[in-house]
Amino acid sequence: DIHMTQSPLSLSASVGDRVTITCRASQSLSSHLNWYQQKVGKVPTLLIYGASSLSSGVPSRFSGRGSGTEFTLTISSLQVEDFATYYCQQTYSTSWTFGQGTKVEIK
Amino acid sequence: EVQLVESGGGLVQSGRSLRLSCAASGFTFDNHAMHWVRQAPGKGLEWVSGISWNSDIIGYADSVKGRFTISRDNAKNSLYLQMNSLRVEDTALYYCAKDDGGISIFGFGYYLDYWGQGTLVTVSS
């Protein structure tokens, strides 16, 4: 299986901060990389697909970049509703995998 | 409206079997690959298995390969997961998820766009 490593695993930030989460893959994914948000007690929702395409209805403060083995998710100005856990996911095979998740908490 | 409703979870002893089902509605089921994703209590997401629209392409996580079998019945708009030789570490909330319906070079779609609410599987020792 392709192994996905997210960093950091947790972070504390304030409303208005710029936040960046990194996801590294054990092999090249081209652009087969997605980002999901999961709030406590809720089902995950898609944020970014294809490394950089914003899913429908997702605010433009979210953006994704990268290709190959290194990817980033950036929240340009953190809002209260963005406090959640974020997961990257690779779909470059018939055995998909998620990163460990990054928990974004209020400072 | 897309709906995915999982069922079949419960408490089972280690080594036993369980079959999960997912009833789908609100979209053309046989146009989409489908997947199972699980989440152990307080832990992250783990992709378990996926199946292409026509069942030609199937994939499993290494952690369940040889023990779990995914299948689908397009006539019944249903997805299944047969889980054998269950282990305590299989304890999790199991989600059924629909993929976007694209077909990548690997035979699945590109991302998961709808998820069910999950069914809880608890494996006791």
Side-chain angles (χ1 to χ4, degrees):
Chain A
D1 286 357
I2 298 173
H3 187 67
M4 307 299 294
T5 304
Q6 285 184 232
S7 61
L9 297 184
S10 67
L11 65 91
S12 294
S14 301
V15 172
D17 283 354
R18 182 181 181 87
V19 168
T20 296
I21 299 167
T22 299
C23 179
R24 290 185 175 86
S26 59
Q27 68 180 72
S28 178
L29 306 178
S30 181
S31 296
H32 292 250
L33 189 285
N34 306 316
W35 291 96
Y36 298 83
Q37 178 192 66
Q38 187 179 31
K39 297 182 180 179
V40 173
K42 300 296 186 182
V43 170
T45 59
L46 179 70
L47 292 175
I48 302 284
Y49 63 93
S52 60
S53 296
L54 203 62
S55 181
S56 176
V58 173
S60 59
R61 62 181 179 273
F62 290 93
S63 63
R65 296 189 66 179
S67 66
T69 62
E70 187 156 333
F71 302 86
T72 57
L73 172 70
T74 298
I75 309 172
S76 59
S77 178
L78 198 66
Q79 301 301 301
V80 170
E81 59 268 29
D82 302 335
F83 291 96
T85 300
Y86 294 84
Y87 296 91
C88 62
Q89 177 210 29
Q90 66 80 17
T91 58
Y92 190 77
S93 69
T94 54
S95 185
W96 293 2
T97 46
F98 287 92
Q100 315 99 303
T102 296
K103 187 173 184 179
V104 176
E105 298 176 303
I106 300 173
K107 183 183 284 184
Chain B
E1 179 194 3
V2 171
Q3 288 199 355
L4 299 168
V5 180
E6 303 92 338
S7 60
L11 176 62
V12 63
Q13 279 190 319
S14 180
R16 305 296 291 264
S17 299
L18 211 55
R19 189 194 196 208
L20 305 184
S21 299
C22 172
S25 61
F27 64 101
T28 305
F29 185 70
D30 57 10
N31 279 359
H32 295 263
M34 297 292 295
H35 303 261
W36 290 99
V37 177
R38 69 184 180 183
Q39 188 166 34
K43 302 297 183 182
L45 301 173
E46 181 184 15
W47 180 86
V48 173
S49 183
I51 184 168
S52 63
W53 69 274
N54 61 358
S55 305
D56 274 2
I57 308 294
I58 286 176
Y60 297 99
D62 285 348
S63 59
V64 306
K65 206 172 290 183
R67 300 187 299 123
F68 289 12
T69 302
I70 192 172
S71 62
R72 64 189 294 162
D73 185 335
N74 287 345
K76 294 183 178 179
N77 286 355
S78 292
L79 175 71
Y80 306 101
L81 186 68
Q82 177 67 43
M83 304 187 296
N84 298 334
S85 304
L86 281 162
R87 304 168 180 168
V88 171
E89 55 265 35
D90 294 320
T91 294
L93 185 64
Y94 283 72
Y95 294 106
C96 165
K98 162 189 171 293
D99 88 11
D100 63 287
I103 300 180
S104 78
I105 58 173
F106 306 104
F108 294 155
Y110 294 91
Y111 53 84
L112 300 170
D113 56 3
Y114 287 92
W115 302 57
Q117 292 300 308
T119 186
L120 183 62
V121 172
T122 304
V123 183
S124 67
S125 56

